[in-house]
Amino acid sequence: MLPIQPARFLEDLHNLRGFGAAGLGKGVVRPAYSEADIAARGWLAARITEAGLRVHVDPVGSVFGLAEGPSLLLGSHSDSQPEGGWLDGALGVIAALEIARAAREAGGPAVSVVSFQDEEGRFGVTTGSAVWSGSLTLKAADLLVDRDGVSFGAARASMPGRSEMFVDPSQFSGFLEMHIEQGPVLDRESEAIGVVDAIVGIRDMKITFEGEQNHAGTTPMQGRRDAFQAVSRFNTLLADRFANVVTPRTVWTIGHISLHPNASSIVPGRATFSMQWRDGDADRLGRMEQIIRDTAQEVASSGGFELRFGPMLGLEPVKMDTRLRGALETAAEAEVPGRWRVMPSGALHDATNLSGLMPVAMLFVPSIGGISHAFGEDTAEADLVTGLSVLAGAVAALG
Amino acid sequence: MLPIQPARFLEDLHNLRGFGAAGLGKGVVRPAYSEADIAARGWLAARITEAGLRVHVDPVGSVFGLAEGPSLLLGSHSDSQPEGGWLDGALGVIAALEIARAAREAGGPAVSVVSFQDEEGRFGVTTGSAVWSGSLTLKAADLLVDRDGVSFGAARASMPGRSEMFVDPSQFSGFLEMHIEQGPVLDRESEAIGVVDAIVGIRDMKITFEGEQNHAGTTPMQGRRDAFQAVSRFNTLLADRFANVVTPRTVWTIGHISLHPNASSIVPGRATFSMQWRDGDADRLGRMEQIIRDTAQEVASSGGFELRFGPMLGLEPVKMDTRLRGALETAAEAEVPGRWRVMPSGALHDATNLSGLMPVAMLFVPSIGGISHAFGEDTAEADLVTGLSVLAGAVAALG
């Protein structure tokens, strides 16, 4: 077993929380390239150097701590949501730091550390690891803009100490990421660890029903082509039709809707809404897509609406590497026998991008109340330490 | 029969369209107190003077053409929607002008004319006639602001030639307003005239379901309190429950919806939407309100949502005066036997406000395709002349 020091680990985790502390509970405001984010990465680089690793800040600002020669890579991200918690990303980074330190102190195995930049998507989606993995070119990334119109290119230029070189991924034998669950399952079941079997795939597209805008007083119900009614009918039919296709882990969401002209006295002539669905199985995602398209077409045809589908964002499900995942399962059973489970990750992580470069695996610790992307995000410190121990056990076994 | 001159009537109607002509079909852009609106009212005042009536512009800019002694008042409004048609309001004003002229030429009866200000609600709702009728105080009206932050008080101050006095309504024996239907019924049924029996009452309120905002990937369907789903369920249940209460003329609309945070990857935690319903019968409006409140409560209780109702805007249905309405019906049957109907007005009109001051009645001519509040609004000229003839016939009979 590696000589991990839980107190040192927790102290660093709380230290990192000081950068961008929201002043509300343990919340942090540390979006990518903010002053707090850049300062936090500077602090992390100093810790990495202290640990005897070589600091490398890549062109987009992802901070690596490199062991010599071939190594296992551990990490996550240290940027936060605009209003975020102290553990989302930070936990995986500081756990990686502690395990790399302990491994050096024990004389091996070789462990490298990373904190990716802009995982939370101020500009894109998991932008730093997407660029590193090649799924997004640096040129395309530079053109992405945040809500205030700032470009990724301008933002990364503001970060000091970057190298012009990306890290060569061939030096890593695999990637392990510890993360909070960001959902309610482990907390509700009083379990300590989730070993991820797959990061779910996502399909996301905008759908538009175009009906007829009318006066809400003078247009009888019978002749209306009310675009909101089309969305409501589509939503209701969809739930019925999904029933025989989905599993309890499948999710779908209409999270965005825009009516035109969106006024109480006008029958809405147009409704555009987001349809997003996630599942660990690519076939199921495809079957759901067919149901969505057929149901929307049926609503449009029967009600006299014009139907438009926007471009579909598709991210394929990513299965975790069997060997790495097995090491996490063995370590979990040793640490908390019977109090862990295998589960999918419903959220995207940097591990999704890295799966194209090397074997990857992930483990979760509970999120109290399932809360994340909010100041109230938290995990019991005992659970944080359990996660650290399981990760250390897996690293030792993978040697 | 009064010696109305259809050609003169149509010529003036087209002349009025020149003020604020949109350059697209017959569309006009002539919102209250715009340069075009003020110029159009100046032109109208000159026509009124030519007709031998006394011009009186009241403190809010409503333009009256007053006959001497007791008279019947005819009119509507000459301001338009931001993108409006050439007939909405203008038709009733120019028809009033032509009938007043013809009546003077014939030596009676005494007919006065009015074009109310801001019927289209740049600031309030039927603002000019609301102030005249006392349902809105001038002091309160002056504080109303348009979308650009301009106050009603500042806008009316910009209009020249206003008197400090309001017109004494006791000189009028009644008010007749001709208007386009702004709905599809007459056009669809190939009928020429609608005699209004009542202007429907309106209830309008905002409803909010507050659930729980969550990550759309990590939150299982089963534990969600998705506020959009609450709105959709409410909407579906409502249609079922209204079935035994409503008539084919009852309407209800969800025209506005606002989700929070309105992002495709987040289960919406809050949905606020508008619920508006209209009917000519006050009891039915009340029964519908009870169903709305009960259904929303049921959705909230069963799904774990917090429910909030905003303040309710209520305008009572207004029945048309039996004698005035009878005169319109008799004239319609004489002019277009069998090609007219009695119908409610689903839209508000200045007549709603005037019903507190004097007997009122209204008649409609067809709107092609039911289109209104748009540049494409139109009515066949033969139908415009038929409307003028019916109105003249009623005025002659009411003498």
Side-chain angles (χ1 to χ4, degrees):
Chain A
M1 188 66 187
L2 296 174
I4 50 170
Q5 297 185 27
R8 183 172 63 175
F9 158 70
L10 290 171
E11 187 186 346
D12 274 346
L13 203 48
H14 282 287
N15 283 339
L16 178 51
R17 171 161 84 77
F19 295 90
L24 281 169
K26 296 178 183 164
V28 299
V29 175
R30 201 167 60 224
Y33 306 111
S34 63
E35 208 173 307
D37 172 58
I38 290 173
R41 288 173 189 272
W43 170 86
L44 177 65
R47 295 289 80 65
I48 285 169
T49 303
E50 281 174 15
L53 299 170
R54 182 169 65 83
V55 172
H56 180 100
V57 182
D58 81 0
V60 300
S62 294
V63 176
F64 288 79
L66 300 171
E68 299 208 353
S71 63
L72 195 59
L73 181 65
L74 272 60
S76 188
H77 62 94
S78 55
D79 60 297
S80 83
Q81 284 280 321
E83 295 193 352
W86 70 303
L87 298 171
D88 180 355
L91 173 62
V93 172
I94 301 300
L97 175 67
E98 177 55 28
I99 290 170
R101 277 192 296 232
R104 273 192 80 81
E105 286 159 7
V111 174
S112 295
V113 175
V114 65
S115 168
F116 288 108
Q117 185 53 286
D118 196 30
E119 194 274 347
E120 296 291 4
R122 174 178 163 195
F123 296 94
V125 177
T126 61
T127 322
S129 58
V131 170
W132 189 41
S133 72
S135 71
L136 176 69
T137 67
L138 186 55
K139 202 167 161 185
D142 277 346
L143 300 177
L144 297 171
V145 289
D146 73 2
R147 290 184 173 216
D148 298 324
V150 177
S151 73
F152 184 77
R156 72 182 178 92
S158 73
M159 188 169 163
R162 287 172 302 119
S163 165
E164 290 180 7
M165 303 288 289
F166 284 99
V167 168
D168 177 3
S170 71
Q171 68 196 288
F172 304 118
S173 58
F175 177 65
L176 291 176
E177 180 171 6
M178 174 153 103
H179 206 281
I180 54 167
E181 182 198 336
Q182 303 180 280
V185 177
L186 296 174
D187 185 48
R188 194 195 292 149
E189 305 295 332
S190 299
E191 292 172 337
I193 294 290
V195 176
V196 175
D197 55 355
I199 299 174
V200 301
I202 302 185
R203 299 285 184 275
D204 195 326
M205 66 177 167
K206 290 276 196 279
I207 302 177
T208 298
F209 288 112
E210 181 104 36
E212 188 175 31
Q213 180 178 328
N214 281 123
H215 191 294
T218 58
T219 313
M221 298 306 282
Q222 214 197 332
R224 292 186 178 193
R225 293 187 290 136
D226 179 328
F228 172 73
Q229 293 300 326
V231 181
S232 179
R233 175 137 187 267
F234 167 80
N235 175 64
T236 304
L237 287 174
L238 200 64
D240 285 347
R241 292 174 186 185
F242 275 171
N244 290 325
V245 175
V246 300
T247 77
R249 288 166 174 183
T250 311
V251 293
W252 67 96
T253 306
I254 293 176
H256 167 92
I257 183 166
S258 162
L259 299 185
H260 182 83
N262 209 28
S264 63
S265 284
I266 303 181
V267 177
R270 187 171 69 241
T272 296
F273 62 101
S274 63
M275 181 75 231
Q276 185 185 89
W277 61 110
R278 308 194 191 204
D279 194 86
D281 182 80
D283 283 350
R284 184 172 294 112
L285 289 171
R287 270 175 285 152
M288 292 173 76
E289 180 187 346
Q290 198 54 53
I291 292 170
I292 288 164
R293 290 186 186 271
D294 291 349
T295 304
Q297 190 57 61
E298 179 186 325
V299 169
S301 302
S302 67
F305 297 92
E306 193 187 307
L307 172 65
R308 291 192 295 275
F309 296 105
M312 193 172 73
L313 164 75
L315 290 165
E316 294 307 305
V318 172
K319 291 232 181 296
M320 299 295 100
D321 177 72
T322 310
R323 180 172 147 266
L324 296 186
R325 174 184 151 186
L328 290 170
E329 291 180 7
T330 303
E333 181 61 20
E335 191 73 26
V336 281
R339 290 190 49 238
W340 63 280
R341 70 163 59 201
V342 172
M343 65 188 295
S345 170
L348 280 186
H349 293 288
D350 290 311
T352 305
N353 293 317
L354 270 62
S355 68
L357 299 176
M358 62 190 80
V360 301
M362 291 193 73
L363 81 164
F364 284 161
V365 295
S367 291
I368 296 173
I371 296 166
S372 186
H373 287 190
F375 292 152
E377 170 194 291
D378 209 358
T379 300
E381 294 202 349
D383 286 335
L384 298 177
V385 172
T386 297
L388 178 72
S389 300
V390 170
L391 187 58
V395 168
L398 290 165
Chain B
M1 187 66 187
L2 296 174
I4 50 170
Q5 298 184 26
R8 183 171 63 175
F9 157 69
L10 291 171
E11 187 185 346
D12 274 346
L13 201 50
H14 283 287
N15 283 339
L16 177 51
R17 171 161 85 75
F19 295 90
L24 280 170
K26 297 176 183 166
V28 299
V29 175
R30 201 167 61 223
Y33 306 112
S34 62
E35 209 174 305
D37 173 59
I38 290 173
R41 288 173 189 273
W43 171 86
L44 177 65
R47 294 290 79 66
I48 285 170
T49 303
E50 282 174 14
L53 300 171
R54 182 169 64 82
V55 172
H56 180 100
V57 182
D58 82 0
V60 302
S62 294
V63 176
F64 288 78
L66 300 172
E68 298 207 355
S71 63
L72 194 60
L73 182 64
L74 271 61
S76 187
H77 62 95
S78 55
D79 60 298
S80 82
Q81 284 281 321
E83 295 193 352
W86 70 304
L87 298 171
D88 180 355
L91 173 62
V93 172
I94 300 300
L97 176 66
E98 177 55 28
I99 289 171
R101 276 192 297 230
R104 274 191 79 80
E105 287 158 7
V111 174
S112 295
V113 175
V114 65
S115 168
F116 288 108
Q117 185 53 287
D118 196 30
E119 194 272 349
E120 295 291 3
R122 174 179 162 193
F123 297 94
V125 177
T126 60
T127 322
S129 56
V131 169
W132 188 42
S133 71
S135 71
L136 176 69
T137 67
L138 186 55
K139 203 168 162 184
D142 277 346
L143 300 176
L144 297 171
V145 289
D146 72 1
R147 290 185 174 214
D148 298 325
V150 177
S151 74
F152 184 77
R156 72 183 178 93
S158 73
M159 188 169 162
R162 288 172 301 119
S163 165
E164 289 180 8
M165 303 288 287
F166 284 99
V167 168
D168 176 4
S170 70
Q171 68 196 284
F172 304 118
S173 57
F175 177 65
L176 291 176
E177 181 172 7
M178 174 153 101
H179 207 281
I180 55 166
E181 182 198 338
Q182 303 181 280
V185 176
L186 296 174
D187 184 48
R188 194 195 291 149
E189 305 296 330
S190 298
E191 291 172 338
I193 294 289
V195 176
V196 174
D197 55 355
I199 299 174
V200 301
I202 302 186
R203 301 283 185 275
D204 195 327
M205 66 177 166
K206 290 275 197 280
I207 302 177
T208 298
F209 288 112
E210 180 105 36
E212 187 175 31
Q213 180 177 329
N214 280 123
H215 191 295
T218 59
T219 313
M221 298 306 282
Q222 214 196 334
R224 292 187 178 192
R225 293 187 290 137
D226 179 328
F228 172 73
Q229 294 300 325
V231 180
S232 179
R233 175 138 186 268
F234 167 80
N235 175 63
T236 304
L237 287 175
L238 200 64
D240 285 346
R241 292 173 187 187
F242 275 171
N244 291 326
V245 174
V246 299
T247 77
R249 288 165 174 184
T250 312
V251 293
W252 66 96
T253 307
I254 292 176
H256 167 92
I257 183 166
S258 161
L259 299 185
H260 181 83
N262 209 29
S264 63
S265 284
I266 303 181
V267 177
R270 187 170 70 241
T272 296
F273 62 101
S274 63
M275 182 75 230
Q276 184 185 89
W277 61 111
R278 307 194 191 205
D279 194 86
D281 182 80
D283 284 349
R284 184 172 296 113
L285 289 172
R287 270 176 285 151
M288 291 174 76
E289 180 187 347
Q290 199 54 53
I291 291 171
I292 288 164
R293 290 186 186 271
D294 292 348
T295 304
Q297 190 57 62
E298 179 187 324
V299 169
S301 302
S302 66
F305 297 91
E306 194 186 307
L307 172 65
R308 291 193 294 276
F309 295 105
M312 193 171 73
L313 164 74
L315 290 166
E316 293 308 305
V318 172
K319 291 232 180 294
M320 298 297 98
D321 177 73
T322 310
R323 180 173 148 266
L324 297 187
R325 174 183 152 188
L328 290 170
E329 291 179 7
T330 303
E333 181 60 21
E335 191 72 27
V336 280
R339 290 190 50 235
W340 62 280
R341 69 165 59 202
V342 172
M343 65 187 296
S345 169
L348 281 185
H349 294 286
D350 291 311
T352 306
N353 293 316
L354 269 64
S355 68
L357 298 177
M358 61 190 81
V360 302
M362 290 193 73
L363 80 163
F364 283 160
V365 295
S367 291
I368 296 173
I371 296 167
S372 186
H373 287 190
F375 292 151
E377 170 193 292
D378 209 358
T379 299
E381 295 201 350
D383 287 335
L384 298 176
V385 172
T386 297
L388 177 72
S389 300
V390 171
L391 186 58
V395 169
L398 291 165

